[in-house]
Amino acid sequence: QHSADAPPVRANQEFLRFAASVLLHTDPARHAILYDLLWRMQAKPRLLSDASDPVVRRANLLAKAVGRDIHKMRAFVRFREVLDTDNTPHYVAWFEPQFAILRANAKFFVGRFASMQWTILTPIGSIHWDGAALHEGPAADLSQAPADDPAEDLWRTYYASIFNPARLKVKAMVKEMPRRYWKNLPEASLIPDLIAGAQAREAAMVSIGSDAFAGVAEPESLSDVAAGIAACKRCAIGCNGTRAVMGRGPTGSPLMLLGEAPGDSEEACGLPFVGPAGQVLRRHLAKAGLDADALYMTSSVKHFKFEHTTNQATGAKIRLHKNPSPGEIDHCRWWLEREIQFVNPRLIVALGASAARALTGRTVSVTKMRGAIKPLTTELSNGRHMLLTYHPSYMLRINGAAREEAEAAFAADLARARDWCATGGDIKA
């Protein structure tokens, strides 16, 4: 019983917003969870900020699941045009939410499609916008939704044309676009074949990059390669006005270090690996007993790709590094192949995914392939091997235990490369 002199129950705005989200979940314990939190918040108002509290953690999981469902509805609703009795266009969509998010999402769709007349049908209810007012309706089933409309053929053609096999990561794609939504997405019918053909399309993209050099005289030395990259204008990076950065080191070195692209410091000096990431690399090389000057260092892309930004402290404009695209890496691969032929290393340490792509012609996972010494199977093979590891700039972007772990792995990879070269490749990968 509630005592007449008991203090009133208090709930702040944060709790009310949080509870509104949790209540949309279907977990039968959601009401008990919120009651528990509300009761304890009377003595501990900041309870929701306590991430170690098991009830708070469980409630957060429910709220996050609801938030994901709201996001997926916004991303995967596909309207199809039908004509009303007066021949007015009306747009109808079918969606299957996991939770009771229909009403919570209505404001978004009204704001986004205010000039259209539309209906969203779901198994838990429906909403209708007539251009002036929003109406709720009963639950529906898929048979009430319209079939494909002619515009979807155009959309599928567009989707297939922009599908980039070089950037395909199936696990990440399925995480963002779970398979449960595919049956109601017109483009989903293309996905299995696009995934299956991704490797062939990626190889074709690499081939296109090589075709750009048809008729170009073969360089006869590293000096010819340096002159060629200095004059190369076959991609946007080569046309951005920066100085090309050639590799440096002795020919015949058994070990080559291959990075992504020169940075601001490298472009200014005209030398590879002299900036902050280069300093990290050289420090680790010294610890591994490797003389940086006795190794050949170069990059997959020979020009500095950047965008201008403003230093918030000084107001000065600075050049911020941008990762080269797969197409730009593929274009520059022609030069890299000739550079490798003249240096003739036995082992190439690929520093990061861009370097691995330059060597293999495909996008690979650094996490999965790191540390293993594998024979190259492309035009660059000739008995050469590759060891993939982190790019030293990665260590500059992380801190704490994650950085310590990455640096230890990086050091182990360099030691493995050192020992492999010292024994002529007798050490097993």
Side-chain angles (χ1 to χ4, degrees):
Q1 285 185 322
H2 180 75
S3 173
D5 58 352
V9 176
R10 298 187 181 277
N12 57 30
Q13 290 297 318
E14 179 189 13
F15 175 81
L16 294 176
R17 287 192 294 268
F18 183 66
S21 181
V22 172
L23 287 171
L24 298 180
H25 205 282
T26 54
D27 191 317
R30 64 191 183 279
H31 298 95
I33 290 170
L34 290 173
Y35 182 83
D36 177 285
L37 293 176
L38 181 60
W39 177 260
R40 290 191 290 137
M41 283 179 64
Q42 304 311 300
K44 190 179 178 181
R46 299 185 61 82
L47 176 63
L48 291 184
S49 63
D50 184 0
S52 65
D53 186 277
V55 181
V56 172
R57 287 203 305 272
R58 185 175 177 186
N60 273 320
L61 289 175
L62 300 183
K64 286 180 180 179
V66 169
R68 283 194 298 270
D69 202 30
I70 287 174
H71 170 73
K72 299 305 181 189
M73 181 176 178
R74 295 177 181 181
F76 301 138
V77 157
R78 296 290 187 269
F79 287 105
R80 290 165 171 165
E81 184 179 1
V82 297
L83 295 178
D84 286 338
T85 54
D86 59 354
N87 285 330
T88 300
H90 193 102
Y91 298 88
V92 182
W94 168 258
F95 187 74
E96 298 174 23
Q98 288 183 282
F99 310 116
I101 61 169
L102 188 60
R103 184 178 296 178
N105 246 344
K107 184 178 180 181
F108 169 84
F109 286 98
V110 169
R112 177 64 64 88
F113 305 108
S115 62
M116 295 166 40
Q117 295 188 39
W118 50 261
T119 297
I120 299 177
L121 304 173
T122 81
I124 61 172
S126 56
I127 50 176
H128 312 270
W129 174 253
D130 62 11
L134 187 71
H135 308 276
E136 290 190 62
D141 59 62
L142 184 57
S143 65
Q144 296 173 264
D148 290 9
D149 64 26
E152 290 183 4
D153 286 335
L154 181 62
W155 165 242
R156 278 187 282 264
T157 301
Y158 172 74
Y159 183 83
S161 69
I162 65 170
F163 184 85
N164 188 347
R167 293 190 176 275
L168 175 63
K169 295 183 179 179
V170 176
K171 288 185 178 179
M173 184 191 74
V174 173
K175 182 179 179 181
E176 290 300 315
M177 185 190 288
R179 295 181 189 275
R180 65 182 298 268
Y181 298 107
W182 289 16
K183 61 184 178 182
N184 297 320
L185 298 175
E187 67 271 25
S189 61
L190 305 175
I191 293 176
D193 288 340
L194 289 173
I195 292 175
Q199 190 167 350
R201 290 185 63 191
E202 189 172 13
M205 290 169 67
V206 174
S207 176
I208 290 171
S210 299
D211 290 346
F213 291 85
V216 177
E218 285 285 340
E220 297 181 2
S221 65
L222 281 177
S223 296
D224 288 349
V225 174
I229 63 173
C232 187
K233 305 292 184 185
R234 288 174 177 81
C235 73
I237 308 179
C239 300
N240 68 5
T242 58
R243 170 167 52 173
V245 178
M246 181 63 181
R248 185 185 189 189
T251 58
S253 170
L255 183 60
M256 172 186 277
L257 298 172
L258 179 64
E260 179 186 66
D264 185 78
S265 299
E266 286 77 14
E267 195 271 338
C269 297
L271 297 171
F273 291 104
V274 295
Q279 298 306 313
V280 172
L281 173 62
R282 291 169 187 273
R283 173 166 55 84
H284 276 279
L285 288 173
K287 286 185 178 180
L290 291 166
D291 181 0
D293 293 330
L295 309 175
Y296 192 90
M297 300 184 185
T298 191
S299 56
S300 308
V301 172
K302 306 304 183 184
H303 285 83
F304 174 39
K305 183 177 182 179
F306 66 92
E307 62 182 359
H308 278 115
T309 187
T310 302
N311 186 310
Q312 297 300 318
T314 64
K317 278 193 172 183
I318 57 175
R319 300 188 302 178
L320 189 66
H321 168 81
K322 287 190 69 176
N323 296 331
S325 69
E328 289 161 344
I329 295 171
D330 295 341
H331 268 84
C332 223
R333 190 167 184 261
W334 194 89
W335 294 115
L336 178 64
E337 289 174 355
R338 276 79 190 158
E339 188 177 17
I340 290 174
Q341 288 168 3
F342 289 120
V343 177
N344 196 27
R346 292 200 304 273
L347 178 64
I348 304 174
V349 176
L351 303 170
S354 293
R357 179 182 177 85
L359 293 175
T360 65
R362 59 190 178 88
T363 301
V364 302
S365 168
V366 177
T367 304
K368 290 181 179 179
M369 290 186 59
R370 186 201 64 77
I373 297 177
K374 301 287 187 182
L376 286 171
T377 57
T378 61
E379 299 91 336
L380 300 171
S381 56
N382 196 25
R384 300 185 185 99
H385 287 66
M386 178 187 83
L387 185 153
L388 176 59
T389 188
Y390 300 120
H391 194 285
S393 64
Y394 173 64
M395 271 76 81
L396 296 174
R397 299 195 299 269
I398 55 178
N399 294 294
R403 180 167 182 170
E404 292 177 6
E405 183 180 342
E407 294 219 13
F410 188 64
D413 293 341
L414 291 181
R416 186 176 295 111
R418 175 202 64 204
D419 296 343
W420 191 90
C421 289
T423 60
D426 290 336
I427 294 179
K428 292 182 180 181

